[in-house]
């Protein structure tokens, strides 16, 4: 009888716990009923994203199918797990939010929200630029903005060309063998980011399993069970996860890139070395010494992928000093953001020009013309800026196949 009683208590406790959990997961399900807009169906635990969470549909197709589902609606609702989200379909309303009323919509929803009672959180992801809010975001963005101007890109361009030539050599030695294009481009972007962000020369076409490439594959694999559980934890129990200081980045990745950053800074200070990469620029930005140069706008005018606004050149007096962890965080997110997205874009460019041989031929002719004008020398930043048809091909591919098909405020 005692065992039966204990069993019933045990079962009752589990049932009660499940009921409490169900109530927590569904308490906000009626959020959109007070608004005169359509809403996607909502399910406990998954919100409106079950197919996406279970990898039954790609993110791009998920966005497209939801967009097409509500023809004529300017706005509709969905739940990302527990979070209600308004999805904007109307181009004019998007322009209103992101341009005209930008000052009222400057914040992204933080993927990881730091606990306000713990301002010095060790969670690296809380320090990346797009995870910051309000005035802190403004200050850090203003401090970092000169890092990505045309003149800074010009200084890095020789490093990008070197990585490009390594890829061309790898293709030249393929001897007609079939080549997996996405893998080729991922190795290319890996080498560029290693060089331009961390000052490390790597040839991933020769050293196929170098640590940068392996860690890059890990960092961009959000389908890993460990990462998936962390992200779900921040969706459902954000305060608890923040209290426990659980980072999206793996500890080994943070340690590796932090030590790499320290070693690079140490060597440069000891030997007086200056290399025009992200570490150098971030170190300058961290000291408040980075400024726009007056030639920036003339260099990039008219090239669709690298425009700047006049407002970005107005430098306030209260530029922030960046800590080491904040600088490492920007390098990490630079790596994370560029590693797969650029390789994906390049893969779709190859796909599109394969389907359209007339466009491929016209692009080839522009490349040949520029190559001849250089007299067999390496590509220059100015020559690339003059390749208008290439710019159009890149921009149109981005329109059709955006690697990041949505944004949020």
């Amino acid at each position: 009888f005692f065992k039966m009683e204990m069993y019933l208590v045990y079962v009752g406790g589990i049932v009660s716990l499940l009921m409490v959990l169900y109530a927590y997961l569904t308490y906000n399900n009626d959020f959109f009923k007070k608004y005169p807009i359509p809403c996607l169906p909502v399910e406990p635990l998954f919100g409106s994203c079950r197919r996406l969470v279970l990898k039954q549909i790609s993110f791009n197709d998920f966005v497209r199918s939801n967009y097409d589902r509500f023809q004529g609606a300017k706005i509709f609702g969905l739940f990302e797990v527990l979070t209600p989200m308004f999805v904007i379909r109307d181009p004019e309303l998007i322009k209103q939010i992101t341009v005209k009323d930008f000052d009222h919509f400057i914040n992204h929803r933080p993927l990881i929200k730091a606990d306000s009672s713990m301002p010095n959180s060790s969670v690296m992801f809380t320090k990346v630029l797009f995870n910051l809010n309000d005035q802190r975001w403004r200050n850090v963005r203003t401090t970092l903005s000169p890092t990505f101007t045309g003149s800074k890109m010009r200084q890095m361009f020789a490093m990008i060309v070197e990585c490009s030539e390594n890829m061309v050599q790898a293709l030249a030695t393929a001897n007609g063998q079939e080549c997996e294009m996405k893998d080729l481009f991922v190795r290319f972007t890996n080498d560029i980011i290693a060089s331009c962000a961390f000052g490390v020369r790597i040839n991933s076409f020769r050293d196929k399993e170098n640590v940068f490439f392996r860690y890059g594959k890990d960092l961009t694999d959000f389908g890993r069970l460990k990462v998936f559980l962390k992200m779900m934890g921040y969706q459902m129990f954000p305060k608890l996860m923040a209290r426990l200081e659980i980072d999206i980045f793996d500890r080994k990745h943070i340690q590796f890139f932090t030590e790499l950053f320290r070693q690079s800074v140490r060597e440069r200070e000891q030997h007086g070395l200056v290399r025009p990469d992200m570490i150098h620029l971030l170190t300058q930005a961290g000291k408040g010494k980075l400024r726009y140069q007056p030639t920036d706008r003339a260099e990039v005018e008219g090239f669709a992928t690298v425009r700047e606004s006049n407002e970005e050149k107005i430098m306030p007096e209260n530029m922030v000093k960046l800590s080491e962890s904040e600088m490492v965080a920007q390098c990490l997110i630079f790596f994370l953001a560029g590693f797969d997205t650029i390789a994906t874009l390049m893969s779709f460019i190859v796909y599109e020009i394969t389907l359209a041989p007339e466009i491929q031929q016209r692009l080839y002719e522009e490349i040949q013309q520029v190559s001849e004008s250089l007299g067999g020398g390496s590509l220059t930043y100015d020559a690339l800026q003059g390749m208008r048809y290439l710019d159009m091909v890149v921009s149109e591919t981005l329109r059709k196949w955006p690697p990041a098909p949505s944004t949020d405020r």
Side-chain angles (χ1 to χ4, degrees), residues 84 107 129 154 168 184 198 300 314:
N107 293 337
L129 181 61
R154 176 189 290 276
V168 171
L184 179 82
F198 294 95
V300 300
I314 302 173

Side-chain angles (χ1 to χ4, degrees), residues 48-67 344 348 400-406:
S48 305
C49 307
R50 178 171 54 82
R51 289 189 303 159
L52 185 62
V53 172
L54 298 179
K55 295 188 175 182
Q56 297 173 346
I57 189 172
S58 71
F59 186 49
N60 291 56
D61 288 338
F62 177 75
V63 171
R64 168 60 70 181
S65 63
N66 292 335
Y67 181 87
T344 297
F348 276 117
K400 291 187 69 176
W401 305 103
S406 70

Side-chain angles (χ1 to χ4, degrees), residues 75-348:
I75 185 172
F76 65 89
L78 66 77
F79 278 84
E80 186 184 63
V81 187
L82 303 181
T83 306
M85 301 177 66
F86 294 92
V87 183
I88 313 300
R89 291 185 80 259
D90 180 56
E92 288 303 314
L93 190 52
I94 293 172
K95 188 184 296 184
Q96 185 79 28
I97 292 169
T98 59
V99 181
K100 296 178 182 178
D101 289 336
F102 174 77
D103 285 345
H104 301 285
F105 295 96
I106 64 172
N107 293 337
H108 291 290
R109 61 200 170 100
L111 181 60
I112 295 180
K113 192 167 185 177
D115 193 326
S116 58
S117 65
M118 304 170 65
N120 297 317
S121 171
S122 64
V123 179
M124 185 69 74
F125 211 92
T126 62
K127 306 179 193 308
V128 301
L129 181 61
F130 71 76
N131 206 67
L132 302 177
N133 283 334
D134 302 320
Q135 193 58 42
R136 183 61 183 174
W137 172 83
R138 290 179 184 275
N139 292 342
V140 175
R141 183 185 185 275
T142 300
T143 302
L144 294 176
S145 288
T147 305
F148 301 100
T149 58
S151 61
K152 306 302 187 301
M153 296 300 104
R154 176 189 290 276
Q155 294 169 15
M156 293 184 183
F157 195 71
M159 295 182 280
I160 298 174
V161 170
E162 181 182 348
C163 297
S164 304
E165 291 172 347
N166 289 339
M167 181 173 68
V168 171
Q169 290 173 7
L171 286 170
T173 57
N175 296 322
Q177 296 179 353
E178 186 178 277
C179 180
E180 171 52 55
M181 301 306 290
K182 179 65 181 296
D183 179 73
L184 179 82
F185 295 143
V186 165
R187 294 180 183 279
F188 172 61
T189 55
N190 174 73
D191 291 1
I192 288 177
I193 295 171
S195 181
C196 291
F198 294 95
V200 178
R201 278 192 171 89
I202 289 176
N203 188 335
S204 296
F205 304 103
R206 292 179 182 171
D207 183 7
K208 294 187 177 296
E209 291 300 321
N210 64 78
V211 66
F212 259 92
F213 183 74
R214 287 189 285 108
Y215 280 8
K217 296 282 280 188
D218 284 348
L219 282 168
T220 54
D221 184 6
F222 290 102
R224 287 184 297 148
L225 181 60
K226 184 193 299 186
V227 177
F228 173 76
L229 291 175
K230 289 178 184 178
M231 295 182 72
M232 289 294 289
Y234 270 104
Q235 287 286 337
M236 294 188 291
F237 312 105
K239 291 183 180 179
L240 175 63
M241 296 290 284
R243 271 282 177 188
L244 296 174
E245 297 199 350
I246 296 176
D247 209 323
I248 293 293
F249 295 129
D250 291 354
R251 186 183 300 273
K252 66 177 182 179
H253 298 147
I254 296 173
Q255 291 175 342
F256 171 76
F257 287 109
T258 300
E259 183 53 37
L260 185 67
F261 185 91
R262 287 174 181 167
Q263 182 180 343
S264 181
V265 171
R266 190 163 53 243
E267 289 180 354
R268 295 171 196 219
E269 290 177 348
Q270 288 175 352
H271 302 288
L273 300 175
V274 176
R275 192 174 191 271
D277 53 24
M278 280 288 292
I279 288 182
H280 172 68
L281 296 174
L282 283 171
T283 303
Q284 283 190 306
K287 297 176 181 177
K289 294 181 178 180
L290 205 58
R291 292 291 187 272
Y292 282 98
Q293 297 178 6
T295 56
D296 286 343
R297 185 166 182 81
E299 288 188 32
V300 300
E301 181 65 43
F303 207 63
T305 52
V306 287
R307 284 186 186 145
E308 302 164 28
S309 68
N310 282 326
E311 289 76 13
E312 290 175 333
K313 296 177 174 57
I314 302 173
M315 309 299 290
E317 296 179 359
N318 60 340
M319 291 181 67
V320 297
K321 301 284 184 73
L322 300 179
S323 67
E324 179 189 76
S325 60
E326 287 176 315
M327 289 189 279
V328 173
Q330 309 320 315
C331 285
L332 265 172
I333 204 64
F334 185 70
F335 194 28
L336 184 66
F339 184 84
D340 189 73
T341 51
I342 298 171
T344 297
L345 170 62
M346 294 174 71
S347 300
F348 276 117

